[in-house]
Amino acid sequence: MPRHVPRHVIPKRFVDAVAWAILISVIVSWSTPMCVSAEPRAASRASEPAPAPEWRGSRAGISDEVLAPWAPVEVSGREVRVWGRTYGLRDLPLPASVVTRETEILASPIVLHAEADGKQVAWTALGLEVTDAKPALARLTARADSESLRCEGTVSVEYDGMMRCDLRLVPKRGEVSLDELTLEIPLRPAYVKYLHLWPGRWGSCFNSTALPEEGYQGAFKPFVWLGDEWRGLAWFSESDRNFFPAQSDRAIDIRREGDAVVFRVKLVAEPQALREPLDYTFGFQATPVKPAKPDVWDYRICHMGRYGMDEAQLDRLSKLGVRTICFHEQWTDIQAYPKTTHGEELKKLVDACHRRDIQLLLYHGYEMSTIAPEWDAYHEECLVHPRRGGYKRKYQPEPDQTAYIVCYRSVWQDFIAHHLQKLIDEYDVDGVYLDGTSEPWGCANRKHGCGYVRPDGSVGQTFPFFDTRSMMKRIYTIVRRHRPNGQVNVHQSTCMTIPTLSFATSYWDGEQLQSVARKDDAQDVLPIDAFRCEFMGHNWGVPAELLHYRSGPFQRFECVSLALLHDVLVRPSSMEDVEVSSKMWQAMDALGRDDAKWLPYWENAAFVDASPAQVKVSLYNRPGQGLIAVVANMGRDDCEGKVALDLPALQQPAGLTATDVVTGRQIPVTNGRLQVSLKSLDCVMVRLEPR
């Protein structure tokens, strides 16, 4: 799960005993009862039920408004159009066509393959009807019939392109033997290079990979994405309810078959006597979900916020080009809590940042703390079950506490939205930094509607995509209504669940690897295929940053090489980091990056030749005005990298000068040819300008 920035990133604060006593008294005044113990305790008993708090049932952030950068949903006949994508419908309440980046990615319509009473089910369409066509959402109903079964369902498409399909299979006589039921998603092989599954595993990026030649077969996964570097299609399901057998190790099956890569979800693999309707809910979302602009080159984020930042430091950050400061969990004494007792300090910091045109983002998480005033009354209702997390926060003289994972299917969603609205309005902050908030944590807490009972009496988990998505959408709405250019920056690792991540303005990824021991072959920790799948952002429509801790398996220059090669930045967390990043930002400004075209290494052979093979080159080309080349050594050995640019093809003049952006040294270049010495996993960012 996402964890927290190392202690060297955010300095500790120190207050004296008198200030601490005042702090406690103020916290207690917020709400009662108040728990100041670091560990859970039994809920207090009252003779009369307490009145519902003002935040319960809050409507903060709930809106039908279509927020930028998206466009309204359009329905035309059997097609539903959203920004950048078109979904076609046909016989069943499932996508029959998916167009993204002006490309059809389905090889044929998605189907529900069924066998009943020993025969293959042949579906006959009964009609498609538009029942709702609003700017923020379109809803259609579809029905299909067969000899033994009727399929009826609703398709809802929201303005970010998330499609929800609610299906019901109804037996047409007293009992039908449902022998097999499989959801089949046939995709065009040219657009299926990578596979991302969720949940992943901490300490690994195994769940983001090039699709193996033999495909993939495994147990139920609530989220599967297949695509290439530019586009893809996600499928998701909140649970394996009504999968037979439950917990099958072959529920997911992806195979190359002729002119298609067929992704199958095996719903019924053992015959079932069907007497009552059988319900399923699936989600689909084509990517990218929105234009990835502005991106991290524009946001220029550093993770250095703290109370007491002096004017000189802020001036220095502003001069170096920082536009965004993230303030980690220490902005409030209660972990992941949307209130603070440091109101005056926060106001001063916000004001100081705004005078320098710097945005300030405050940390919010995915947890409830044992010292939160609401712990006693709400933790049993709101935490995921089985209870997980248990993050120990011990910043003396702040109170020791333990924080556990919450589920946003609970009323904690209202609590967060209500108080975030008040926080942003009162302190004029520019957005949020969310730690794990977009992750639909598995939950079986029946007190708020998660979990389901299997036929054998065991309880299966729910992965609450739609409620987590609601939380994220509410946060985005609150932030963007207050400030149209405000940010929802999300820290997630292993979890590219795009229906929840869609409402992020950028994401920060890579913490899952920071506990991995350093290896001689650092490339094995984060393979380049995994990077192009999960860490790049262009295929998702959400700009990406790569996370680096000094305690992790990579040196910073290695992370920078991997990131820059893919048009990604490594977030700075020290003044030294900012000074290096500043040189890169300035070089892009000088080039005019918005008017340049990015030509990534895997598809720029017409413009550049690099040797030896381990050397990769990505270009930012502005015809006639010069270019920037990121030259990286992805091999295990040091080498002399040789680069030959086709200047006529790039529409660049023959006479160019070349400069190492970071060191400022001149690099000899003749007719577009240059050579640089590179350590393993090192890179040089070269600015080439007309003489």
Side-chain angles (χ1 to χ4, degrees), residues 388-430:
R388 300 196 303 282
Y391 168 58
K392 303 286 185 181
R393 175 168 163 177
K394 298 182 179 181
Y395 303 150
Q396 296 300 324
E398 294 176 5
D400 288 355
Q401 57 194 283
T402 306
Y404 296 93
I405 301 172
V406 295
C407 178
Y408 290 117
R409 182 160 288 181
S410 73
V411 295
W412 203 245
Q413 179 181 151
D414 289 346
F415 176 84
I416 292 296
H418 176 82
H419 291 293
L420 178 62
Q421 177 77 72
K422 295 180 69 174
L423 178 77
I424 287 180
D425 288 345
E426 181 175 358
Y427 296 101
D428 197 25
V429 294
D430 305 283

Side-chain angles (χ1 to χ4, degrees), residues 493-550:
S493 298
T494 80
C495 183
M496 292 301 300
T497 52
I498 199 61
T500 64
L501 197 58
S502 177
F503 294 102
T505 54
S506 62
Y507 70 97
W508 195 24
D509 196 354
E511 192 174 31
Q512 70 269 43
L513 305 175
Q514 301 310 310
S515 60
V516 177
R518 172 73 186 191
K519 299 180 179 180
D520 292 337
D521 295 333
Q523 294 88 340
D524 294 338
V525 177
L526 180 49
I528 204 165
D529 285 338
F531 202 105
R532 280 154 68 167
C533 177
E534 176 181 336
F535 296 82
M536 191 172 64
H538 288 279
N539 44 351
W540 301 97
V542 186
E545 287 180 293
L546 181 61
L547 184 147
H548 170 261
Y549 293 161
R550 292 186 180 94

Side-chain angles (χ1 to χ4, degrees), residues 35-81:
C35 173
V36 296
S37 168
E39 297 302 327
R41 69 183 186 186
S44 58
R45 298 179 179 177
S47 56
E48 296 181 2
E54 63 171 348
W55 54 264
R56 189 152 190 163
S58 170
R59 302 285 297 172
I62 296 175
S63 170
D64 290 331
E65 179 184 0
V66 177
L67 297 167
W70 289 284
V73 181
E74 296 180 356
V75 182
S76 177
R78 292 175 172 265
E79 291 186 342
V80 181
R81 299 186 185 95

Side-chain angles (χ1 to χ4, degrees), residues 76-397:
S76 177
R78 292 175 172 265
E79 291 186 342
V80 181
R81 299 186 185 95
V82 295
W83 176 90
R85 289 146 296 163
T86 301
Y87 299 115
L89 298 167
R90 203 168 73 180
D91 300 338
L92 293 166
L94 294 166
S97 169
V98 175
V99 175
T100 177
R101 289 197 190 269
E102 302 179 346
T103 304
E104 173 63 68
I105 61 174
L106 290 185
S108 58
I110 296 173
V111 298
L112 201 60
H113 173 80
E115 291 185 11
D117 294 334
K119 299 178 183 179
Q120 182 169 329
V121 171
W123 297 111
T124 300
L126 294 179
L128 179 71
E129 180 182 356
V130 178
T131 58
D132 212 346
K134 297 177 180 177
L137 178 143
R139 186 174 288 112
L140 304 91
T141 59
R143 295 184 301 136
D145 204 5
S146 74
E147 180 181 341
S148 54
L149 298 170
R150 185 172 68 252
C151 178
E152 53 192 34
T154 301
V155 176
S156 304
V157 182
E158 296 190 36
Y159 65 80
D160 69 327
M162 192 281 295
M163 174 185 283
R164 173 173 174 157
C165 301
D166 294 289
L167 313 177
R168 168 166 286 190
L169 290 181
V170 182
K172 294 181 67 175
R173 48 182 176 270
E175 178 177 307
V176 172
S177 176
L178 183 57
D179 306 320
E180 180 184 335
L181 184 65
T182 303
L183 179 70
E184 294 187 353
I185 306 170
L187 294 145
R188 293 184 176 182
Y191 308 114
V192 184
K193 295 172 66 175
Y194 305 109
L195 166 67
H196 179 77
L197 305 165
W198 180 81
R201 183 173 62 237
W202 212 247
S204 168
C205 54
F206 86 98
N207 61 316
S208 295
T209 182
L211 180 67
E213 189 60 35
E214 67 275 15
Y216 172 88
Q217 296 80 42
F220 170 77
K221 290 283 188 179
F223 180 87
V224 179
W225 176 89
L226 291 162
D228 64 11
E229 294 90 352
W230 300 107
R231 62 187 68 77
L233 180 65
W235 167 88
F236 61 98
S237 174
E238 289 200 322
S239 75
D240 59 356
R241 185 178 65 89
N242 289 339
F243 280 50
F244 305 101
Q247 301 173 293
S248 166
D249 61 357
R250 291 279 173 168
I252 301 296
D253 187 298
I254 303 170
R255 298 179 187 269
R256 303 177 191 274
E257 298 180 1
D259 295 331
V261 173
V262 184
F263 165 29
R264 293 183 174 90
V265 184
K266 296 185 177 181
L267 306 171
V268 176
E270 296 177 349
Q272 301 294 311
L274 192 61
R275 301 181 185 90
E276 301 292 335
L278 200 57
D279 295 322
Y280 296 95
T281 295
F282 304 126
F284 297 91
Q285 192 162 16
T287 64
V289 295
K290 61 177 179 289
K293 192 67 179 173
D295 61 16
V296 294
W297 290 95
D298 302 303
Y299 291 132
R300 301 184 185 182
I301 304 170
C302 75
H303 217 87
M304 297 171 62
R306 61 180 175 84
Y307 291 128
M309 293 183 78
D310 60 56
E311 298 283 329
Q313 182 183 16
L314 287 169
D315 285 341
R316 180 64 177 155
L317 291 173
S318 176
K319 184 176 181 180
L320 288 170
V322 168
R323 294 174 180 168
T324 308
I325 294 175
C326 284
F327 192 166
H328 208 65
E329 58 199 38
Q330 292 90 341
W331 75 273
T332 179
D333 297 309
I334 301 176
Q335 179 67 18
Y337 201 68
K339 296 182 182 181
T340 184
T341 56
H342 306 283
E344 290 305 313
E345 292 176 278
L346 181 56
K347 287 178 181 177
K348 289 178 182 178
L349 181 58
V350 169
D351 182 62
C353 288
H354 287 178
R355 291 199 308 271
R356 295 163 175 84
D357 294 323
I358 293 174
Q359 292 196 335
L360 183 68
L361 312 183
L362 299 181
Y363 175 102
H364 296 270
Y366 55 103
E367 299 156 317
M368 182 191 292
S369 169
T370 53
I371 67 167
E374 296 76 16
W375 172 267
D376 279 355
Y378 290 100
H379 75 274
E380 289 188 359
E381 178 183 353
C382 296
L383 297 184
V384 299
H385 179 79
R387 186 180 297 183
R388 300 196 303 282
Y391 168 58
K392 303 286 185 181
R393 175 168 163 177
K394 298 182 179 181
Y395 303 150
Q396 296 300 324

